[in-house]
Amino acid sequence: MRTLKFLLFAACAVICFGACSKKDDYGMEFSSTGLYFQWGGEAQTITYNTVNAASVELKEAEDGWKCTINQSARTITITPPADPGTESGRDKMREADIRFTLTSKKGKVNSYTIKCYIIGDSVVLINQDGKYANCYVLTTPMAAYSLDVSRNGGGQVLNNVSDVKIVWQSEHSQIEHLIYDEESTTATFYIDALRNEDNAEEYIKEDGQYVMPSGNAVIAAVNSKGDILWSWHIWCTKASANPLEHYSTYSNGVTFMDFNLGAFANSNGATDKNQLILDSYGLYYQWGRKDPFLRPYYHDCSGSDDEYAYNNAGSIIYVECAESSAETGTIEYTIEHPMTFITNTACVDNEDGDGIGDWMYSSNNSLWSGTTKSLYDPCPYGWRVPAGNDFDCLQLSAEEDNTPLDTARGRFGWMLSDGVNNHFYLAGGFRSYYDGYIHNMNYKEDVYPSQPAPWEGYYWTAGTTADGKQSTCMYFDLTTTRTINKFNLNYPTKRANAMQIRCVKIK
């Protein structure tokens, strides 16, 4: 692992530039706007540049932090505070805004900020020792992380990386100060601890420990034109809900995560706990793609609304859709457009529609594998998408079969048995190949005349149908009566649908 000092002094991409006007162009830029320290650690110096500046002055340094400006050398030196010795004192001082004022040659004034953080002993390199993957689970808050972006999720070399960016994040400012260091080829970022919604200055603790805010994000390496070369899913969850430590070995010997990929919990059939049910939703994946799509906003998928997603500037962004074509229906296009859902309305709309419904213009059965971890596998290191027969030991549990219908519907899922133990699977529905919207209700007017009846569950496997035209999923449908419930462990379906995934451990 590279040392903290090396990371901090390495050349960084320019991050911040001041406001300007056409009549009075002026501004200030820093080599870094996010710095990481230990209590009482060494001072750090960064450089800055200005345009049409008469002076740069320190406006404010928070208690315990010291800052000096050398205007002739164009450097800023920041010294962290000593450990105050109490948790309340640490909470007040572990994060600081160092503010500066720039005065232009015409007397205009603007303010700038450098964020400073007290972290642990070092920056955590999350794909060290060759542990390359398309998804990384992070559980430690108040920490700086780095990701070697010189290689993709399969360990292959990425050429022409020029910068990094946030594609989307489910929590505002979940990932802070994402910086690309060209010399070390790493992307470095900071993740804060969970704060009290009613008092932003107060951190939340569980069992005396700071809590990682739950959220998902996708960050990407880009070239000098801004084209995405590769992207990675960052899965943040509190340590007590670490999905890498919550798993079960089924009676067939396959070890499954207890959580869906991208989820923060498993409700285990709880009812009337809307947030817990919502936390049990994972992200949605089109078959063979490595990049996820958003979870629902509501625990019951009401209105098919997506959860909010934010870009690096904090603006809300949305899932985009593109119809499959020779241009869009390629793996290269999906790598460059990780938040674009590839629809296939033509498979049913056109007179010659084949009904296959693949997002790929020319199908590829090897994008996912049930025996090895493929290049486009979306699971964390050491885990993969289930094989086509990995679910075969499951059946409707006796407990589930004897549960009153209203109670079962309130669970938003099914309790399945491997013959020894029960395992709860959320009915998370799917994103339709036709329009990209989330659906978790099965509505057929002749069968359910009054209203749509919940709930449907779809879980991808890496399996393909005998003709190689579609792929299989584990499917269940909790309808109005037990007599018309559906349960299929190898249900053939369209690859342009996006479904939940329950990862399995690689042996």
Side-chain angles (χ1 to χ4, degrees):
M1 184 191 303
R2 294 175 174 82
T3 64
L4 175 64
K5 186 174 181 180
F6 178 85
L7 280 167
L8 293 174
F9 280 91
C12 299
V14 172
I15 299 174
C16 178
F17 205 98
C20 300
S21 70
K22 294 181 179 179
K23 295 182 179 179
D24 186 11
D25 292 337
Y26 69 98
M28 182 178 185
E29 61 185 12
F30 304 97
S31 57
S32 178
T33 58
L35 297 177
Y36 313 117
F37 300 83
Q38 284 80 50
W39 293 114
E42 295 181 359
Q44 296 176 30
T45 300
I46 63 171
T47 60
Y48 69 88
N49 291 311
T50 60
V51 174
N52 290 331
S55 65
V56 174
E57 298 177 350
L58 176 64
K59 181 178 181 181
E60 181 183 10
E62 297 187 20
D63 290 347
W65 293 80
K66 297 179 182 179
C67 177
T68 58
I69 302 173
N70 185 328
Q71 297 203 40
S72 60
R74 295 180 180 272
T75 61
I76 295 171
T77 300
I78 299 174
T79 304
D83 189 340
T86 65
E87 283 302 309
S88 60
R90 294 186 187 105
D91 287 349
K92 292 179 181 179
M93 300 171 66
R94 73 170 64 252
E95 182 177 323
D97 291 339
I98 311 296
R99 297 181 176 88
F100 305 89
T101 297
L102 177 145
T103 303
S104 75
K105 293 179 179 179
K106 294 186 178 182
K108 300 286 186 178
V109 177
N110 203 8
S111 296
Y112 300 83
T113 300
I114 295 176
K115 296 282 290 188
C116 298
Y117 305 92
I118 300 293
I119 62 169
D121 293 335
S122 63
V123 175
V124 180
L125 182 60
I126 58 179
N127 59 349
Q128 62 179 326
D129 302 325
K131 294 182 178 180
Y132 301 109
N134 295 311
C135 171
Y136 296 99
V137 178
L138 306 184
T139 61
T140 302
M142 293 180 175
Y145 293 92
S146 69
L147 173 70
D148 182 1
V149 295
S150 68
R151 295 179 181 271
N152 64 23
Q156 300 174 344
V157 174
L158 287 177
N159 295 314
N160 304 316
V161 177
S162 178
D163 204 354
V164 291
K165 72 174 186 178
I166 296 173
V167 178
W168 63 265
Q169 53 186 343
S170 60
E171 298 296 327
H172 190 277
S173 299
Q174 174 185 340
I175 290 178
E176 300 183 69
H177 303 290
L178 178 64
I179 300 171
Y180 176 59
D181 175 5
E182 184 176 3
E183 186 171 351
S184 64
T185 66
T186 57
T188 303
F189 56 91
Y190 178 79
I191 298 181
D192 200 7
L194 184 65
R195 295 175 183 262
N196 190 329
E197 291 184 0
D198 298 325
N199 181 4
E201 300 298 319
E202 179 180 305
Y203 288 104
I204 294 176
K205 291 184 179 181
E206 291 184 1
D207 298 325
Q209 301 296 317
Y210 295 101
V211 179
M212 170 71 90
S214 297
N216 291 289
V218 172
I219 62 175
V222 301
N223 61 19
S224 59
K225 297 180 180 179
D227 300 327
I228 292 177
L229 302 173
W230 202 263
S231 50
W232 297 266
H233 168 208
I234 305 299
W235 184 2
C236 298
T237 184
K238 58 186 180 180
S240 61
N242 185 347
L244 303 180
E245 298 176 356
H246 287 261
Y247 52 83
S248 302
T249 300
Y250 292 6
S251 60
N252 60 358
V254 179
T255 299
F256 281 83
M257 277 188 185
D258 293 335
F259 297 173
N260 293 351
L261 179 55
F264 315 124
N266 185 326
S267 63
N268 287 316
T271 58
D272 300 323
K273 293 185 178 181
N274 293 356
Q275 186 59 51
L276 181 60
I277 293 170
L278 180 59
D279 285 347
S280 301
Y281 280 87
L283 300 167
Y284 295 85
Y285 294 81
Q286 292 188 287
W287 194 92
R289 293 185 65 175
K290 65 182 176 64
D291 292 298
F293 292 96
L294 303 173
R295 306 176 328 132
Y297 184 85
Y298 300 104
H299 78 285
D300 59 357
C301 293
S302 175
S304 298
D305 292 339
D306 293 344
E307 68 177 340
Y308 289 146
Y310 305 88
N311 61 16
N312 193 53
S315 300
I316 296 177
I317 55 176
Y318 302 93
V319 174
E320 298 180 349
C321 288
E323 175 72 5
S324 181
S325 67
E327 176 189 359
T328 63
T330 66
I331 195 67
E332 292 78 15
Y333 184 89
T334 61
I335 290 172
E336 294 180 11
H337 302 84
M339 208 177 181
T340 299
F341 187 95
I342 309 300
T343 60
N344 193 333
T345 59
C347 79
V348 293
D349 281 353
N350 292 351
E351 291 183 3
D352 58 349
D354 57 18
I356 294 173
D358 199 339
W359 62 266
M360 292 202 79
Y361 195 67
S362 298
S363 297
N364 184 340
N365 293 333
S366 63
L367 295 178
W368 286 350
S369 170
T371 56
T372 61
K373 191 171 181 65
S374 68
L375 177 61
Y376 306 106
D377 189 287
C379 295
Y381 181 83
W383 299 79
R384 60 165 172 78
V385 176
N389 61 352
D390 281 348
F391 289 112
D392 284 358
C393 65
L394 294 179
Q395 57 188 334
L396 186 66
S397 71
E399 174 188 345
E400 182 71 42
D401 201 30
N402 294 324
T403 298
L405 181 61
D406 288 344
T407 301
R409 294 169 99 184
R411 290 175 169 175
F412 286 86
W414 272 17
M415 192 70 73
L416 303 179
S417 171
D418 62 11
V420 179
N421 297 301
N422 293 338
H423 311 278
F424 184 75
Y425 278 77
L426 184 83
F430 67 104
R431 285 184 177 272
S432 171
Y433 74 95
Y434 195 81
D435 55 18
Y437 287 121
I438 298 173
H439 302 266
N440 80 327
M441 297 182 179
N442 190 356
Y443 178 55
K444 295 181 180 178
E445 187 173 356
D446 57 334
V447 180
Y448 321 123
S450 58
Q451 61 181 0
W455 314 106
E456 292 184 299
Y458 294 84
Y459 286 80
W460 273 130
T461 78
T464 58
T465 55
D467 60 9
K469 295 181 179 180
Q470 293 186 328
S471 288
T472 59
C473 67
M474 187 268 283
Y475 163 71
F476 57 82
D477 175 8
L478 177 60
T479 56
T480 53
T481 71
R482 288 290 192 264
T483 59
I484 56 175
N485 284 336
K486 301 181 183 70
F487 182 35
N488 191 328
L489 296 169
N490 288 280
Y491 182 69
T493 190
K494 298 172 174 60
R495 292 175 182 168
N497 288 324
M499 302 179 184
Q500 306 270 303
I501 293 176
R502 190 70 71 93
C503 299
V504 301
K505 203 167 192 176
I506 298 174
K507 296 181 179 180

